Every structure is written in structure tokens, then in C-alpha cells.
């Protein structure tokens, strides 16, 4: 399960590369992603080769990313009362992206990465499903019209897909538009039309990010988070002095939407699994224990972004600094937009190093399966 985090998703690539180096025979059968994590999830699901070959290509793509490859920024898009101005002046003069930025470059990038065509199913996913290299892949979006989280699922699933008032599942053939929608940062990136609906970042209102993988049949889940888990002492230290600037408020929104929810879901799943293990199979009501491995950065990637902020394009720096990004110790919302090689390369290195530093824990989770595969070969 690959979570969101904008440019921070480069950290997941480092984790994957570290795992591939130590467990070259590992094949991931069920892949789910949300927000920027959906970009990595669909890449893995659509490409052939070993995990090492997949992650090497993915790392190359992330290592060369620049903001211009993801979005175009136009100051007209943030003018106050823009919709009122558009109704007065000629429409063509004010026509443009509906978000703060235009994500046409990201669309072009994803089409190349997935070897896909606009509006058409991503052929690589279908091939991997047919060859048995993949069981299922899911991407999560938010339907802005209904407020529901939508799980777009391709492949066969091994459980009952739970639907409720705030979430639904749709079996489909995934396209680049599904990924664009899942990664559409609220307000910043424009919504994406899928059918007759407008969709945005799947991290919004996503209360249980792990459930998609479990309901697709997974009994062992690797969750890759981009959020640093602070100690009590760190959490008690203020990040700004005096009245909080807008940037600090945005930081809290970013954490609430993209980072904190995975921690709550992990805690729930671990408690549920512990309870189920104490029950006999017939007493579990159809539920099953799930082995869970959570991988997260060992350092604050938001604070790290402050060191690379000067690499951002001038137009982006003007906006972020006007919001007070330089006044906060950990500009988390800036890190989402830090699509710059210096930062993404560093995150990949950190991710790979984090696997090395906790290899015993990873081996305890994956080692048994890896050994069995080598013996079978």
C-alpha cells in the first residue's frame, strides 16, 4: 500500500529499491496506491521484469523530475475573484487551468511512463494480470460531486469489497486519468473528469487506507508511508513563534489529509489482528488476521525540504514565502511540491538506507517467503 505525499513519494522508490536489492525474487501480487503513491503503484503494476528492474527504471524517472515536468504555474490562476472577472471579460482571455497549476505536463509524463494513450486502458496492467504476475491493483480517488472515496479496481479480488455511504468500489480498466485524479492535490491541482464525474486526491476523507489491500485478498501488507513519526518530545516543540502563518496552517492540513490517517489505520489493524489471533477461526465472523509491516522515514522529510527550497522555481518560491513557509521549521506543504532532482534523489537515498537500517525487521516479515522461493527454484 503506497500512501500519498506529493514529491515525497520518491522516498517510496528508495524503499522499493532497498527491498529489491535484498529480496530480488520478491513479487508483489496486490498493489494499491493513493495520491502520489498511485503513480508508483500503477508503474509497478504495468511494467514487466523483476522488482529490481522495475525500481531501477522508476528511480531514474524520479531522479530527473523537475517542477516543469509536473505542472505549469500561472499567476492569473490565483487572482482574487477570478470567476467574477471571467464573467466580465472575454472568456478566452481568462481561460486556463481550474486549479492553481496546470497539470498537463504530468499527464504527458505519465503517458510516457506507462506507455499509454489518453483515455485508453494501460496495456501493461492487462498483460501482467493475464500472465499471472499480478493479482489486482487499485487506485483511490475522491468523487467531488458525491464526497465518496472511490476504489478503482482492476483484477480479481479475494474478498468482499465493502461499500458504505462514504466509499464505493468500481471494477474498471485503469487509465492515466485515474492516476491523475488520485494525485490531484486539493485546490492546487485541477480535478480530473472520469465519466460524468469530477475526481480529486484520494487521500481526502480516506479513513482506512489499508482496507483496500485487505479486501482485495491480501493477508500480508507492506504499508509505505512518507510521514515521519515524531517522538513525544519532538511533537511538544512548537514549530513557529507567535501567530501561525498560513504556511503553518497548511502544514497541519497536509498532515491531517495525507500523513496522520495511516497511523490511525495501522493502530486499528494491529489491535484487530491481535484480537483475532486469540479467537478460533469459527469465531472470527469471516475476518482474518493480517500481518503488517509499516515502513516510514526515519527523519522528517518536511524539515529536509527546507534545505532544498531555494531550488524551487522563482514563481513557486514567491507564493510559498508569501504564505510564510520560511517562518516554519518544517514546511510540509512545500515538500509536496518539491519536484526537484536534488530533493527527490536525496529521498531515494534515504529510503534505501532506511531498509538497510531495519533489515532484520524486514527480513523477519519477508525472509521466510524469500527462502521458500529460493529452495523451490
Amino acid at each position: 500500500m503506497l500512501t500519498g505525499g506529493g514529491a515525497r513519494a520518491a522516498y517510496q522508490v528508495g524503499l522499493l529499491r532497498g527491498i529489491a536489492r535484498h529480496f530480488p525474487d520478491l513479487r508483489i501480487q496486490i498493489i494499491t496506491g493513493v495520491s502520489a503513491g498511485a503513480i508508483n503503484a500503477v508503474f509497478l503494476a504495468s511494467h514487466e521484469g523483476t522488482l529490481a528492474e522495475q525500481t531501477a527504471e522508476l528511480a531514474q524517472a524520479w531522479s530527473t523530475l523537475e517542477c516543469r515536468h509536473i505542472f505549469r504555474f500561472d499567476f492569473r490562476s490565483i487572482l482574487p475573484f477570478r470567476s467574477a472577472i471571467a464573467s466580465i471579460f472575454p472568456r478566452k482571455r481568462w481561460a486556463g487551468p481550474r486549479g492553481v497549476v496546470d497539470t498537463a505536463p504530468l499527464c504527458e509524463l505519465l503517458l510516457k511512463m506507462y506507455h499509454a494513450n489518453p483515455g485508453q486502458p494501460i496495456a501493461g496492467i492487462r498483460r501482467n494480470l493475464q500472465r499471472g504476475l499480478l493479482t489486482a491493483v487499485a487506485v483511490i480517488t475522491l468523487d467531488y460531486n458525491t464526497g465518496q472515496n472511490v476504489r478503482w479496481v482492476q483484477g480479481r479480488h479475494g474478498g468482499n469489497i465493502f461499500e458504505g455511504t462514504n466509499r464505493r468500489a468500481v471494477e474498471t480498466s485503469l487509465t492515466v486519468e485515474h492516476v491523475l485524479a488520485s494525485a490531484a492535490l486539493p485546490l492546487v491541482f485541477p480535478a480530473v473528469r472520469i465519466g460524468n464525474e469530477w475526481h480529486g486526491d484520494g487521500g481526502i476523507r480516506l479513513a482506512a487506507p489499508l482496507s483496500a489491500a485487505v479486501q482485495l485478498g491480501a493477508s500480508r501488507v507492506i504499508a509505505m508511508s512518507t510521514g515521519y513519526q515524531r517522538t513525544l518530545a519532538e511533537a511538544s516543540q512548537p514549530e513557529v513563534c507567535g501567530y501561525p502563518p498560513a504556511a503553518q496552517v497548511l502544514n497541519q492540513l497536509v498532515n491531517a489529509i495525507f500523513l496522520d490517517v495511516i497511523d490511525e489505520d495501522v493502530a486499528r489493524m494491529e489491535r484487530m489482528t491481535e484480537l483475532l489471533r486469540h479467537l478460533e477461526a469459527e469465531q472470527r465472523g469471516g475476518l482474518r488476521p493480517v500481518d503488517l509491516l509499516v515502513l516510514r522515514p526515519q527523519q522528517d522529510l518536511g524539515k529536509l525540504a527546507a534545505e532544498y527550497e531555494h531550488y524551487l522555481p522563482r514563481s513557486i518560491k514567491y507564493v510559498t514565502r508569501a504564505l510564510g513557509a520560511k517562518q516554519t521549521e518544517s514546511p510540509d506543504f512545500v515538500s509536496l511540491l518539491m519536484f526537484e532532482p536534488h530533493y527527490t534523489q536525496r529521498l531515494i537515498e534515504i529510503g534505501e538506507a532506511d531498509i538497510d537500517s531495519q533489515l532484520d525487521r524486514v527480513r523477519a516479515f519477508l525472509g521466510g517467503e524469500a527462502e521458500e522461493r529460493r529452495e523451490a527454484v
Side-chain angles (χ1 to χ4, degrees), residues 97-348:
R98 302 188 181 188
V100 173
V101 300
D102 178 6
T103 52
L106 176 58
C107 180
E108 295 174 9
L109 175 66
L110 294 181
L111 290 171
K112 293 178 182 178
M113 288 177 61
Y114 303 151
H115 308 294
N117 295 312
Q120 297 299 312
I122 300 171
I125 296 178
R126 184 180 65 253
R127 286 196 301 268
N128 285 337
L129 287 168
Q130 291 174 342
R131 295 174 182 177
L133 303 177
L134 178 70
T135 300
V137 57
V139 167
I140 304 170
T141 67
L142 176 73
D143 184 340
Y144 282 136
N145 299 98
T146 66
Q148 291 178 311
N149 275 121
V150 183
R151 299 175 182 181
W152 303 93
V153 179
Q154 184 171 354
R156 60 186 186 278
H157 57 81
N160 295 320
I161 302 297
F162 173 78
E163 294 185 327
T165 56
N166 288 327
R167 62 180 178 183
R168 71 178 191 268
V170 179
E171 294 191 18
T172 189
S173 294
L174 292 174
T175 67
V176 165
E177 285 71 23
H178 291 98
V179 182
L180 280 172
S182 185
L185 293 171
L187 300 180
V188 180
F189 287 10
V192 177
R193 187 170 185 171
I194 301 177
N196 295 321
E197 304 160 344
W198 291 94
H199 292 254
D201 199 301
I204 308 172
R205 302 195 74 176
L206 182 59
L210 298 173
S211 63
V214 174
Q215 292 178 12
L216 288 172
S219 58
R220 305 168 73 200
V221 178
I222 304 174
M224 295 186 175
S225 172
T226 61
Y228 170 67
Q229 196 166 46
R230 297 182 296 171
T231 65
L232 181 59
E234 289 173 326
S236 301
Q237 291 295 320
E239 296 178 349
V240 295
C241 296
Y243 191 84
Q248 181 65 10
V249 178
L250 287 172
N251 288 347
Q252 305 312 317
L253 290 174
V254 164
N255 291 332
I257 294 173
F258 299 108
L259 306 178
D260 295 346
V261 66
I262 186 68
D263 296 328
E264 297 296 327
D265 201 24
V266 165
R268 284 194 299 268
M269 182 167 288
E270 288 177 340
R271 288 195 297 268
M272 179 65 72
T273 292
E274 183 179 359
L275 175 62
L276 291 173
R277 293 195 190 283
H278 287 85
L279 298 176
E280 299 295 333
E282 60 273 12
Q283 298 176 312
R284 294 173 179 171
L287 301 177
R288 66 183 187 280
V290 175
D291 294 325
L292 181 62
L293 174 66
V294 182
L295 300 173
R296 63 175 77 251
Q298 304 300 299
Q299 59 181 287
D300 192 327
L301 303 185
K303 287 184 178 180
L304 184 66
E307 301 178 18
Y308 296 89
E309 183 263 357
H310 62 280
Y311 288 111
L312 283 172
R314 185 177 301 174
S315 57
I316 302 298
K317 281 191 293 188
Y318 285 157
V319 175
T320 58
R321 291 182 180 183
L323 293 172
K326 298 290 284 186
Q327 301 174 40
T328 179
E329 183 180 341
S330 180
D332 292 311
F333 90 96
V334 175
S335 70
L336 301 187
L337 304 175
M338 191 66 69
F339 294 99
E340 290 298 322
H342 302 83
Y343 184 62
T344 55
Q345 289 173 16
R346 181 67 183 127
L347 295 194
I348 293 172

Side-chain angles (χ1 to χ4, degrees), residues 70-91:
I70 306 298
F71 55 78
R72 288 192 289 261
F73 181 75
D74 187 345
F75 276 108
R76 291 181 305 170
S77 63
I78 60 173
L79 284 174
F81 311 114
R82 186 172 184 271
S83 59
I85 294 175
S87 66
I88 298 174
F89 291 92
R91 187 175 183 84

